[in-house]
Amino acid sequence: MTSYFGAPPVTVAAWMAGAVGVILLILLVLVAFNRVLLKMALRNIPRRRAQTVLILFGLMLATLIITASLAGYLVGHLVTGSAMSASGLLVLFLMTGLGLVGFADDFIKLYMQRSLGLRSGAKLAGQAIVGAIFAVLAIRFPDGWDITPASTHLSFYADFGISIGPVLFVVWVILMVAGTSNGVNLTDGLDGLATGAAILVLAAYMIIGIWQLRNDCTVFLAQACYAVRDPQDLAIVAATVMGACTGFLWWNAPPAKIFMGDTGSLALGGVLAGLAVCTKTQLLLVILGGLFVIIIMSVIIQVGSYKLTGRRVFKMAPLQHHFELLGWAETTIVVRFWLICGLFIAAGLGIFYVAWLPV
């Protein structure tokens, strides 16, 4: 039996619920264990060793969104017996690769006690290498209809214009990956803000993937169909990561018990960029992820204004900290920014749907 959207009705819902349940259980155990470990460390072992153990444990907590997402995706495929897709695996590769870049940054900050972590050039180089590998692989692996996970065209709600060629496409994807991952990273300044916003954008991509499956050009040709490889698996990837983020948010909501660090924020940015490339909605991501765009632009405006005029436009950048200094409560800022993110997503999905309607 299939749903109206053409996907098995239990697939997305069960995988998402499973991911939520698994991560909630894991985090419940780990947070409880963390408290016990803290007490034991402070009482029974030298202070220096205790700090090392707790730092390593904190780094392990930062990887939970990635590990839960990978586990949910793998278990779901094993349980249902369905084959993993090239598109889904590539998006998860991008997520994991950027997560490793973020992990290196967190490790240097925490374990090596260097406050700046990776130097900006090294971090950008890591993002560029991972993004380039993803881009090169994404225009390979054609399916039976000769559709690859990505094409060398720019896209909004679908591909448009002429091909920009593989070299420019790789450069474009690197820019997308760097911009999106850094946007999520800069948003991760208040408890729950980046996680909640990412959940909303991932929900949008789950809907887009299911809609593209329902209107797949390989099933029937129509004026408004989508030549996207593996749309159902892309929806499942979005749902699985969304489930992991939902479980993470349970503990990351203010006052946060755990933090994602650069490991989680760069990984989430990678997922969003990968989904945009593989669903062929690259420029639509600017609208769906409008909150991230606003926050990264606030930093660009602040830095540019200070260098050019010596004056600051905001009290502090990124933008959420400007409102903190205005006296807004942290929870007020988080909830209102979530609402802004929701409005951007409503606009993006509305444009996506209207573009599908027959002329």
Side-chain angles (χ1 to χ4, degrees), residues 187 192-201 249 287-292 294-295 328 330-348:
T187 306
L193 177 57
T195 314
I199 288 171
L200 294 174
V201 182
L249 183 60
I287 300 174
L288 295 174
L291 177 65
F292 304 126
I294 288 175
I295 287 176
W328 289 24
E330 181 176 353
T331 51
T332 301
I333 299 170
V334 170
V335 172
R336 287 178 177 173
F337 275 42
W338 285 350
L339 292 174
I340 292 170
C341 183
L343 291 173
F344 274 116
I345 287 166

Side-chain angles (χ1 to χ4, degrees), residues 157 223-224 354-359:
Y157 59 87
Q223 181 180 354
V354 170
W356 172 82
L357 293 174
V359 179

Side-chain angles (χ1 to χ4, degrees), residues 246-305:
T246 303
F248 192 88
L249 183 60
W250 181 272
W251 302 100
N252 186 236
K257 303 288 192 304
I258 58 175
F259 305 93
M260 69 169 66
D262 282 19
T263 305
S265 59
L266 294 185
L268 287 179
V271 170
L272 299 181
L275 288 170
V277 171
C278 291
T279 58
K280 300 180 180 178
T281 55
Q282 299 160 13
L283 297 177
L284 187 64
L285 180 60
V286 175
I287 300 174
L288 295 174
L291 177 65
F292 304 126
V293 175
I294 288 175
I295 287 176
I296 201 169
M297 286 303 299
S298 73
V299 175
I300 294 171
I301 291 169
Q302 184 84 326
V303 173
S305 174

Side-chain angles (χ1 to χ4, degrees), residues 199-282:
I199 288 171
L200 294 174
V201 182
L202 287 165
Y205 271 109
M206 184 180 70
I207 293 169
I208 287 172
I210 295 173
W211 188 256
Q212 288 177 334
L213 175 67
R214 171 63 180 167
N215 298 278
D216 190 347
C217 290
T218 64
V219 177
F220 67 94
L221 291 175
Q223 181 180 354
C225 65
Y226 302 96
V228 174
R229 175 169 178 170
D230 316 311
Q232 179 176 328
D233 208 38
L234 292 172
I236 289 169
V237 168
T240 304
V241 180
M242 182 174 67
C245 287
T246 303
F248 192 88
L249 183 60
W250 181 272
W251 302 100
N252 186 236
K257 303 288 192 304
I258 58 175
F259 305 93
M260 69 169 66
D262 282 19
T263 305
S265 59
L266 294 185
L268 287 179
V271 170
L272 299 181
L275 288 170
V277 171
C278 291
T279 58
K280 300 180 180 178
T281 55
Q282 299 160 13

Side-chain angles (χ1 to χ4, degrees), residues 59-93:
L59 289 170
M60 185 179 70
L61 285 174
T63 67
L64 280 173
I65 289 179
I66 301 173
T67 53
S69 300
L70 295 175
Y73 181 80
L74 176 62
V75 170
H77 277 287
L78 291 175
V79 169
T80 61
S82 58
M84 299 181 188
S85 73
S87 301
L89 291 172
L90 281 171
V91 173
L92 291 174
F93 160 78

Side-chain angles (χ1 to χ4, degrees), residues 102-238:
F103 185 85
D105 187 63
D106 290 333
F107 182 83
I108 292 171
K109 286 178 184 175
L110 297 175
Y111 188 77
M112 300 180 66
Q113 300 293 304
R114 198 170 82 190
S115 60
L116 294 178
L118 278 176
R119 300 187 187 280
S120 58
K123 184 186 290 188
L124 284 173
Q127 293 170 314
I129 291 169
V130 175
I133 294 172
F134 167 79
V136 170
L137 294 177
I139 53 178
R140 299 176 182 271
F141 306 109
D143 61 10
W145 291 272
D146 204 32
I147 301 174
T148 52
S151 72
T152 55
H153 292 74
L154 297 179
S155 60
F156 185 53
Y157 59 87
D159 286 342
F160 67 85
I162 62 173
S163 169
I164 61 175
V167 175
L168 286 179
F169 174 74
V170 170
V171 174
W172 167 242
V173 170
I174 290 172
L175 292 174
M176 278 190 64
V177 167
T180 308
S181 57
N182 287 322
V184 177
N185 182 241
L186 290 170
T187 306
D188 184 35
L190 299 179
D191 294 347
L193 177 57
T195 314
I199 288 171
L200 294 174
V201 182
L202 287 165
Y205 271 109
M206 184 180 70
I207 293 169
I208 287 172
I210 295 173
W211 188 256
Q212 288 177 334
L213 175 67
R214 171 63 180 167
N215 298 278
D216 190 347
C217 290
T218 64
V219 177
F220 67 94
L221 291 175
Q223 181 180 354
C225 65
Y226 302 96
V228 174
R229 175 169 178 170
D230 316 311
Q232 179 176 328
D233 208 38
L234 292 172
I236 289 169
V237 168

Side-chain angles (χ1 to χ4, degrees), residues 26-36 61 251 257-258:
I26 292 173
L27 288 173
L28 178 63
V29 173
L30 288 175
V31 170
F33 180 62
N34 189 25
R35 292 179 179 176
V36 174
L61 285 174
W251 302 100
K257 303 288 192 304
I258 58 175

